[in-house]
Amino acid sequence: MLGNVHKDLNVTHLDVNVIKNLPIEGLINLKKVTFCGNFGDPLMHPDLNEIVDFFQAQQITISTNASLRSKQWWSELGTNKNVTVTFCIDGIGKEHEFYRRNTSYKKIIENAKSFIEAGGTARWQFIVFKHNEHQISEAKELSRQLGFEIIEFIYSDRFDTDDKWKVYENNKYLYDLEKPAKQITLKSHLNSKPGEKYWKELNENKGPISCVWSEQRKLYIHSDGTVYPCCLLGSVRAGKNIEKLMLKKLIKDYKQIDLYKKDLISIITSDVFKKALPDSFKEKPFSHPVCIEFCNKATGKYYTSDLLKSVN
């Protein structure tokens, strides 16, 4: 916020030994592992190579802005047949750097070429804004030329309260990111007032909550070793105070979901996962705002994603 690291953010790497202690031999249905990061980039992890090697029996997806590491490193990664990289490139040239601040478009393209030419499977994720929407056709052609398996265009949820998002650096306002012309936000879909969060409309019109990640048999491990049903709840502890307080009331003791304190099986069979969180989806004692926002079947972002995030 305001161009500074959030004061409540625990800036840390997940210890590689915590990962190696996962009961991987017993997780016979574990087919896919995604390195994404709620607050960082997987390529920042000093032991990334060792972590990739640990999951040789699984399909790995690395989601990254790809502005890090050498071309040689990318070439070597491209020889891993179980690895797919999602390159987050949000525009061509300076348009990319307008949103992905302090990254180099030129270096990213060089890295992507090295990875693809070595045999790597690459996907391109392109977040559409007003400043780059004119480049969609050009990006499609460039992705074909470079050898990307697919290019996916998506919308940002930064415009849920306003059609502009102010960009800061060290408390200094720089410029606005603006919503693209065709994006339909949840705010406009619910006819919420500009500048206001849409909790009122969500609470009045929400349907039953059904945990999308649970339906997809996914689980999220945070960089501090805590385990959650999804990355969205995992982001709460560095979020707004009301959301943090409500999550604390549900979980009670974070040691119950901490891989530095408990093993994975103990965590997912604990009262937090077996009772507290499932009950909260049924409003016992309450539903968390994040679950209402994303996973209620009436107006949740996941359940309205086709309406809100399709890009021509």
Side-chain angles (χ1 to χ4, degrees):
M1 299 296 100
L2 300 179
N4 303 302
V5 176
H6 198 290
K7 63 181 181 180
D8 292 335
L9 183 59
N10 183 8
V11 183
T12 185
H13 295 296
L14 182 60
D15 193 310
V16 66
N17 292 315
V18 169
I19 297 174
K20 288 185 173 182
N21 284 334
L22 295 173
I24 194 130
E25 296 84 3
L27 301 177
I28 59 174
N29 291 315
L30 180 61
K31 307 297 182 185
K32 298 179 180 179
V33 177
T34 300
F35 305 146
C36 187
N38 253 351
F39 302 107
D41 192 292
L43 269 64
M44 288 292 292
H45 201 295
D47 300 313
L48 180 59
N49 290 358
E50 196 174 347
I51 296 169
V52 169
D53 290 342
F54 179 70
F55 291 108
Q56 283 299 307
Q58 286 74 36
Q59 288 297 314
I60 296 172
T61 298
I62 301 174
S63 181
T64 174
N65 67 49
S67 193
L68 299 168
R69 308 276 179 155
S70 67
K71 289 190 288 185
Q72 178 62 33
W73 184 89
W74 279 101
S75 292
E76 291 173 1
L77 183 67
T79 64
N80 285 267
K81 299 307 178 185
N82 67 320
V83 173
T84 297
V85 174
T86 297
F87 289 79
C88 301
I89 313 173
D90 303 317
I92 299 172
K94 69 180 188 304
E95 279 80 0
H96 161 82
E97 297 170 13
F98 197 68
Y99 174 62
R100 298 279 174 179
R101 292 185 45 73
N102 300 317
T103 67
S104 166
Y105 173 79
K106 180 182 178 182
K107 180 172 175 55
I108 292 164
I109 295 301
E110 289 176 351
N111 290 342
K113 286 180 179 178
S114 296
F115 178 73
I116 293 169
E117 290 171 0
T121 301
R123 303 169 71 90
W124 180 342
Q125 177 186 283
F126 185 121
I127 302 177
V128 181
F129 297 95
K130 182 178 180 179
H131 66 269
N132 65 16
E133 60 185 337
H134 65 286
Q135 296 180 321
I136 288 178
S137 295
E138 184 181 354
K140 288 179 180 178
E141 176 59 24
L142 180 59
S143 71
R144 185 191 64 78
Q145 293 176 6
L146 293 175
F148 281 91
E149 180 183 63
I150 191 173
I151 183 169
E152 180 185 21
F153 299 93
I154 66 173
Y155 288 135
S156 170
D157 64 0
R158 293 183 181 274
F159 305 110
D160 283 340
T161 56
D162 202 304
D163 289 346
K164 294 183 179 180
W165 178 272
K166 296 184 182 300
V167 178
Y168 293 84
E169 183 174 286
N170 297 325
N171 301 317
K172 180 183 178 182
Y173 166 73
L174 300 180
Y175 49 78
D176 291 335
L177 295 175
E178 297 186 53
K179 181 179 77 65
K182 294 183 178 181
Q183 180 176 0
I184 301 173
T185 63
L186 195 54
K187 171 177 69 70
S188 60
H189 179 61
L190 296 172
N191 199 29
S192 300
K193 295 178 181 178
E196 290 186 5
K197 198 75 172 179
Y198 35 78
W199 297 129
K200 182 178 180 181
E201 288 82 358
L202 285 170
N203 278 302
E204 289 180 352
N205 302 303
K206 71 175 183 289
I209 293 173
S210 182
C211 181
V212 174
W213 275 47
S214 178
E215 292 173 357
Q216 297 174 351
R217 301 179 65 81
K218 294 163 63 177
L219 195 66
Y220 174 71
I221 299 176
H222 196 51
S223 57
D224 65 2
T226 47
V227 182
Y228 301 89
C230 68
C231 66
L232 303 163
L233 280 179
S235 70
V236 166
R237 290 178 70 187
K240 295 181 178 179
N241 284 331
I242 184 64
E243 295 176 352
K244 285 188 289 186
L245 289 171
M246 293 176 78
L247 186 61
K248 174 70 173 176
K249 282 183 175 293
L250 290 174
I251 294 177
K252 294 184 174 64
D253 182 2
Y254 281 102
K255 291 179 182 178
Q256 294 185 83
I257 60 169
D258 188 345
L259 285 170
Y260 288 95
K261 308 292 183 182
K262 306 276 187 179
D263 63 81
L264 182 64
I265 301 304
S266 297
I267 290 173
I268 61 177
T269 57
S270 68
D271 283 347
V272 174
F273 276 82
K274 289 295 186 179
K275 185 174 186 347
L277 290 171
D279 283 353
S280 75
F281 301 147
K282 303 172 185 176
E283 300 190 70
K284 301 177 184 177
F286 57 83
S287 296
H288 195 278
V290 167
C291 302
I292 297 171
E293 181 176 357
F294 287 90
C295 289
N296 79 81
K297 290 188 176 182
T299 53
K301 286 183 184 177
Y302 273 5
Y303 282 100
T304 53
S305 60
D306 290 341
L307 167 68
L308 304 173
K309 295 191 176 182
S310 60
V311 182
N312 294 332

